[in-house]
Amino acid sequence: MKTYLLNNPFDISEHFQRMENEFFLPGKITEFDEGTGKGKIEWQFHRYKPDWFFNKIDKHLELQNDKSAPLQDYDVHPQCDFEISFISQKTIRLRMKTSSVHYPEKDSLMLVKPVKKGKTWNTQSTKKEVVYQNKSGSVVFNKQILSIQFLNKNQELLTSTQSTHALKAMHSKAMPFSFIKNSDDYSRNVAASFSLSPDEKIFGCGESFTRLNKRGQKLVLFTTDTQSTASTQMYKPIPFFMSSRGYGMFVHTSAPLTFDFGQTHDSTSTLYSGDEELDLFFFFGTPKEILSEYSALTGRSPLPPLWSFGMWMGTISFNSEKQVKEVAMGLRKNKFPCDVIHIDSGWFEKGINCDFKFNKKTFPHPEEMMKFLKNHGFKTSLWQIPYFTPHNPLFDEIVEKQLYIKNAAGHIPTEDAILDFTNEKTIRWYSDKLKNLLRMGASVIKADFGEATPLHGLFCSGATGFFEHNLYPLRYNKIVSEITAKETGEQIIWARSAWAGSQRYPVHWGGDAEVSDAGMAGTLRGGLSFGLSGFSFWSHDIGGFSGSPMEELYGRWAFFGLMSSHSRIHGFPPREPWNYSKSFQKSFRKIAELKYMFIPYIFTQSYLSCKNGWPLLRTLFFNYPNDSTSWFIEDEYMLGNDLLVAPLMETGRKERKVYLPEGKWINIESNKIYSGSQWHQIKSDELQGVLLLRFGAAIPYTQKIYSTTELNWSKIHWLICSDGSEEANGSLFSPGMKNEINLKFHKEKNQWQQTSRVQQNNTLTDFKTFKF
């Protein structure tokens, strides 16, 4: 038997390879009401049987016709309910049960509200099938056997269910649509199989650090402390993906999941779920439409406060009040823009044992310190953790009050007492601890970890870790975000772990990246995948986390990090820019100043992203889905609509090949204009990365500032990215506004003019004269 190591990824697909388990494959449809979409399927009982084939032993599923006594009390081929319902013009819900038992439906933490059915699509019916159709596409449902085809508006097949009749082969390696009963406890798991087209690409599934296109990969969706960004493991798995064919799927469960996108069989995607029921949402549309539909169900990010878009300065860890003040003043003295000072695990008396109290010797006046920081334009971020070791001063209290996750004996299941966030007593106790810190002057709480609840732990909710493990980050994110919003009026956390729905509680960062090119490349892929999973905001530890930064890598990563939605310096020391060469400091300062100049643009694009459920960091294909090459690019991204960012990903490189989508693009360093829909070799100078402006854009910016407290929204500048041959268009959103304003600019008598006077006092800058 394979050894399972605590809190490593739990691959539920392995259950489907066990000879001793019972398999149930879909047979005939015994009932179906095409008006309600409800019916019954007869599931045919199968077992694996070994076979011999030209000196190879393999196995295949074989139909069974009897079960153990008493035969009269059990169905050999059970009939179970299913339902297909229509949620919107682009969203369909497929639900399948694996038993005849009906349990009361519970509210889901993953969904913003209970899902209501929309109007049934137009229906055409024959004896064999029923076709549901609207302007987005159609669903063809076979009324005799389980066969569902999903077609786009041009009647082209997107995907279809894969049952035994669709997988005819001598030794098919594809897993058909099925469910199993596990022989060790008779629990049931589901395998939902769908066809893959030869040229199809798959994206999403959370913050996955592997290749951006998940086709040919097998992803285990189980929150894990990966301690890496070059690994198959994930801090933030999300059971949602989209296809280049024009569809997406969301498996609504918190049970362990494994998504096999053609790794086992190239023509088949199999979504393995530890749940005993299948609850699957299917979305039609472009990437933007799919994410808008998905986020309408699971929620969209609120807009974080303006200051959070500035630079965060941290290390592991500032360990005294004196050091914190010195770093803050060093940033101001050396003119490095910054808005947040992060104090990691060094503020407690007993090492990293979080007791929510400042060490009285090293932090004698924490309230005064945070007030001092505020007066100099800094917010304070504090680290904490929901795990408590036996040496933690709070350990005995947590045990006495039974605030922890339990094992079967009611005891602590691991070495640490891990807070049970399904227990109202625990939530009140924990909230009081955070409330006190926020009232002292902290502005944001770092919600670190959250991936280590034991699989067989018992929760106050009545569930085990089998269903609560993946849900724990969402509960954790929610509690920290809500108590922060209640105390400060701002919705902001700094979280590492996540699950579907966590996008409602920004911001998340990418975990413990290696200090290497591979760590940086994996981090970017993870961020792009995360954005394609419904998260508008994301950050990462600039320079890598797990070691002291290497100056050359640190400089390249600074460009990538500061050209992200949120930007944090963090990891093993030293991190302060003045600990590096003069040339490094000059380049770092220039990149940081540019980020701050573009905060009006970034804040506006962030608002628009929240409004639609889109990421701020976007793959090229998200903005340009009709550009076939853009679907292959995983080391460039769009920052909103108008900035294309191409980091330098290799040590020693000063230039790189950059693919540009349709239109024209302006290099911000050289002012050179490049044609789109082709590759270019582009050199970088001081920015240590390539930044291009979309031709035809009007980008709001500010003059140099070193804190967002200095930003004057009444004196916004506009960077006009056009030569006058066409109008330039831009949007602006500032704190306090209800909606964005959209502006147009044209050139008249060799001077740029605002076409419509929506906003006064604008300073217009031609891209050729823009200085930073």
Side-chain angles (χ1 to χ4, degrees):
M1 180 179 289
K2 183 177 179 180
T3 300
Y4 176 70
L5 300 177
L6 179 65
N7 284 318
N8 270 258
F10 185 83
D11 184 0
I12 198 70
S13 72
E14 293 177 358
H15 289 197
F16 287 78
Q17 296 304 317
R18 295 176 183 170
M19 297 289 290
E20 68 273 19
N21 288 343
E22 298 179 1
F23 288 73
F24 294 84
L25 277 57
K28 60 185 177 181
I29 306 292
T30 58
E31 296 179 22
F32 184 64
D33 183 328
E34 59 192 53
T36 63
K38 295 181 178 180
K40 288 183 182 290
I41 300 174
E42 180 183 84
W43 293 89
Q44 297 182 330
F45 176 34
H46 288 68
R47 282 193 182 277
Y48 271 132
K49 180 181 178 181
D51 54 42
W52 171 274
F53 191 81
F54 285 90
N55 298 298
K56 179 190 177 186
I57 294 178
D58 213 317
K59 62 183 186 294
H60 66 271
L61 288 168
E62 190 170 275
L63 182 66
Q64 307 292 302
N65 287 308
D66 56 36
K67 283 176 71 78
S68 299
L71 297 177
Q72 68 274 12
D73 290 335
Y74 302 101
D75 295 323
V76 177
H77 308 303
Q79 293 187 31
C80 304
D81 292 343
F82 73 91
E83 180 181 5
I84 184 168
S85 55
F86 300 86
I87 310 305
S88 74
Q89 292 297 298
K90 294 182 181 294
T91 301
I92 292 169
R93 190 178 194 179
L94 177 64
R95 307 182 82 173
M96 290 184 171
K97 293 186 175 293
T98 62
S99 78
S100 59
V101 182
H102 290 263
Y103 299 101
E105 189 147 343
K106 298 178 181 178
D107 289 340
S108 169
L109 198 62
M110 290 171 270
L111 305 175
V112 286
K113 58 186 176 181
V115 178
K116 293 183 178 180
K117 298 177 187 177
K119 293 181 180 179
T120 302
W121 294 5
N122 298 327
T123 306
Q124 293 180 333
S125 182
T126 66
K127 184 178 180 180
K128 180 183 177 183
E129 63 187 25
V130 57
V131 179
Y132 299 96
Q133 189 171 18
N134 73 2
K135 61 182 180 181
S136 299
S138 57
V139 180
V140 181
F141 183 86
N142 190 311
K143 295 190 286 187
Q144 298 173 348
I145 56 173
L146 179 61
S147 172
I148 308 174
Q149 294 179 313
F150 300 89
L151 290 78
N152 65 17
K153 60 185 178 182
N154 298 322
Q155 296 301 296
E156 298 165 329
L157 180 68
L158 300 176
T159 188
S160 61
T161 54
Q162 294 281 66
S163 301
T164 48
H165 64 276
L167 296 168
K168 293 178 180 177
M170 189 173 291
H171 275 93
S172 176
K173 299 294 184 275
M175 177 58 61
F177 222 104
S178 57
F179 74 86
I180 60 171
K181 293 183 180 179
N182 293 290
S183 62
D184 53 0
D185 61 3
Y186 233 43
S187 63
R188 295 181 296 280
N189 308 141
V190 177
S193 292
F194 296 88
S195 63
L196 277 171
S197 299
D199 63 344
E200 190 169 354
K201 301 165 191 66
I202 301 292
F203 301 91
C205 294
E207 190 190 50
S208 171
F209 304 119
T210 58
R211 304 259 64 102
L212 189 64
N213 176 11
K214 306 308 174 189
R215 175 67 179 269
Q217 299 182 40
K218 187 177 183 181
L219 279 71
V220 179
L221 305 185
F222 190 80
T223 58
T224 309
D225 180 356
T226 77
Q227 302 165 354
S228 169
T229 59
S231 164
T232 58
Q233 299 178 13
M234 286 185 268
Y235 298 105
K236 310 172 191 66
I238 307 296
F240 165 84
F241 67 91
M242 64 175 68
S243 164
S244 60
R245 301 282 290 181
Y247 70 88
M249 293 188 197
F250 165 50
V251 181
H252 177 215
T253 185
S254 59
L257 295 145
T258 297
F259 287 179
D260 185 333
F261 295 119
Q263 186 195 72
T264 302
H265 191 274
D266 190 58
S267 73
T268 307
S269 275
T270 301
L271 315 178
Y272 295 97
S273 170
D275 210 327
E276 63 183 31
E277 298 181 5
L278 176 67
D279 188 5
L280 183 145
F281 291 88
F282 186 97
F283 311 101
F284 292 84
T286 65
K288 286 184 176 180
E289 290 169 338
I290 291 166
L291 265 195
S292 290
E293 290 290 310
Y294 167 71
S295 60
L297 294 173
T298 58
R300 293 173 182 164
S301 174
L303 185 62
L306 177 66
W307 55 262
S308 73
F309 293 91
M311 193 176 84
W312 300 45
M313 184 72 221
T315 187
I316 185 167
S317 168
F318 302 138
N319 52 29
S320 73
E321 194 173 294
K322 180 175 180 289
Q323 185 186 19
V324 168
K325 290 181 177 180
E326 285 175 351
V327 169
M329 291 301 93
L331 290 162
R332 293 292 180 249
K333 177 185 175 182
N334 292 286
K335 290 194 173 296
F336 291 109
C338 187
D339 268 76
V340 183
I341 299 295
H342 171 66
I343 307 172
D344 211 70
S345 54
W347 58 284
F348 313 111
E349 187 175 330
K350 286 194 171 185
I352 63 169
N353 281 291
C354 170
D355 61 357
F356 305 100
K357 293 180 179 178
F358 282 90
N359 185 324
K360 292 180 180 179
K361 292 182 180 179
T362 54
F363 290 89
H365 308 291
E367 291 178 81
E368 184 277 329
M369 176 192 70
M370 289 187 271
K371 187 175 181 180
F372 172 88
L373 292 175
K374 183 179 179 181
N375 290 339
H376 287 86
F378 295 102
K379 302 289 186 177
T380 303
S381 167
L382 294 178
W383 180 91
Q384 55 80 68
I385 188 173
Y387 312 156
F388 298 82
T389 73
H391 294 289
N392 192 298
L394 294 172
F395 184 84
D396 290 342
E397 180 186 351
I398 291 167
V399 173
E400 181 184 344
K401 293 180 177 178
Q402 297 197 21
L403 307 178
Y404 57 91
I405 299 164
K406 299 173 176 63
N407 63 14
H411 301 158
I412 291 171
T414 69
E415 291 292 316
D416 292 357
I418 301 173
L419 294 181
D420 180 356
F421 288 137
T422 71
N423 185 337
E424 287 298 325
K425 285 198 306 180
T426 305
I427 294 171
R428 287 194 296 271
W429 179 89
Y430 178 66
S431 296
D432 285 343
K433 301 295 184 187
L434 299 188
K435 187 186 300 182
N436 183 52
L437 297 173
L438 295 164
R439 289 179 177 179
M440 289 174 71
S443 293
V444 58
I445 301 297
K446 179 176 174 179
D448 206 355
F449 291 87
E451 311 93 353
T453 56
L455 196 62
H456 299 297
L458 299 179
F459 288 73
C460 191
S461 65
T464 70
F466 194 82
F467 283 92
E468 288 288 350
H469 175 93
N470 281 334
L471 211 54
Y472 193 88
L474 177 54
R475 295 188 187 278
Y476 184 22
N477 295 169
K478 181 176 186 289
I479 293 165
V480 179
S481 179
E482 287 181 350
I483 193 65
T484 303
K486 185 177 179 181
E487 292 300 318
T488 69
E490 297 177 325
Q491 290 189 272
I492 178 75
I493 62 174
W494 196 264
R496 189 175 78 174
S497 56
W499 187 249
S502 285
Q503 67 270 19
R504 305 193 297 266
Y505 312 109
V507 171
H508 296 80
W509 99 96
D512 299 346
E514 292 90 339
V515 181
S516 66
D517 287 351
M520 180 176 167
T523 295
L524 175 53
R525 291 193 298 268
L528 293 177
S529 288
F530 197 50
L532 292 172
S533 305
F535 288 75
S536 294
F537 305 108
W538 171 81
S539 186
H540 45 98
D541 290 344
I542 293 173
F545 172 83
S546 55
S548 298
M550 296 181 288
E551 181 169 306
E552 192 270 347
L553 173 64
Y554 197 7
R556 290 185 285 114
W557 206 317
F559 171 78
F560 164 38
L562 286 158
M563 290 296 115
S564 298
S565 79
H566 288 76
S567 307
R568 185 177 74 154
I569 309 295
H570 187 66
F572 282 79
R575 295 283 159 164
E576 299 83 1
W578 51 86
N579 287 308
Y580 296 86
S581 69
K582 294 292 185 184
S583 62
F584 173 89
Q585 292 181 52
K586 181 181 178 182
S587 175
F588 187 100
R589 184 181 297 108
K590 196 157 198 171
I591 299 165
E593 288 173 345
L594 182 61
K595 165 74 182 262
Y596 271 70
M597 290 177 76
F598 278 158
I599 279 180
Y601 166 81
I602 290 169
F603 194 72
T604 299
Q605 292 295 311
S606 295
Y607 166 76
L608 296 173
S609 296
C610 293
K611 188 177 177 180
N612 294 289
W614 298 343
L616 185 63
L617 261 75
R618 306 170 183 175
T619 58
L620 300 192
F621 73 74
F622 192 79
N623 278 12
Y624 300 93
N626 295 324
D627 185 326
S628 58
T629 303
S630 71
W631 291 84
F632 292 90
I633 307 300
E634 63 177 18
D635 61 355
E636 306 172 24
Y637 57 93
M638 300 296 301
L639 188 62
N641 285 327
D642 303 323
L643 299 185
L644 189 150
V645 184
L648 298 174
M649 306 302 289
E650 295 183 43
T651 301
R653 291 289 184 93
K654 297 296 183 184
E655 59 182 285
R656 58 161 290 174
K657 288 181 69 175
V658 179
Y659 180 76
L660 301 178
E662 65 184 22
K664 291 185 287 188
W665 299 85
I666 302 167
N667 185 335
I668 198 168
E669 286 195 282
S670 68
N671 291 333
K672 183 177 179 180
I673 299 174
Y674 293 89
S675 297
S677 301
Q678 58 184 289
W679 290 90
H680 297 273
Q681 188 77 16
I682 302 179
K683 185 179 180 181
S684 172
D685 191 17
E686 284 187 290
L687 287 184
Q688 299 196 57
V690 177
L691 181 63
L692 297 118
L693 315 171
R694 184 181 63 81
F695 194 88
I699 297 174
Y701 74 98
T702 182
Q703 290 187 316
K704 284 183 183 179
I705 58 173
Y706 295 90
S707 167
T708 57
T709 58
E710 301 171 11
L711 206 166
N712 186 345
W713 289 95
S714 66
K715 293 184 178 180
I716 293 298
H717 298 243
W718 290 86
L719 174 57
I720 309 299
C721 306
S722 175
D723 58 7
S725 60
E726 58 183 71
E727 278 190 329
N729 300 275
S731 299
L732 181 67
F733 180 85
S734 63
M737 292 176 64
K738 291 185 178 180
N739 292 293
E740 79 279 11
I741 57 172
N742 299 305
L743 294 91
K744 293 184 178 181
F745 304 90
H746 66 279
K747 210 165 194 179
E748 185 177 307
K749 296 180 180 179
N750 213 33
Q751 293 289 324
W752 283 104
Q753 306 285 334
Q754 187 174 322
T755 303
S756 54
R757 290 283 173 184
V758 178
Q759 189 188 43
Q760 305 296 323
N761 302 321
N762 288 317
T763 301
L764 310 184
T765 306
D766 191 286
F767 74 90
K768 294 177 184 177
T769 59
F770 178 66
K771 303 293 182 184
F772 65 92

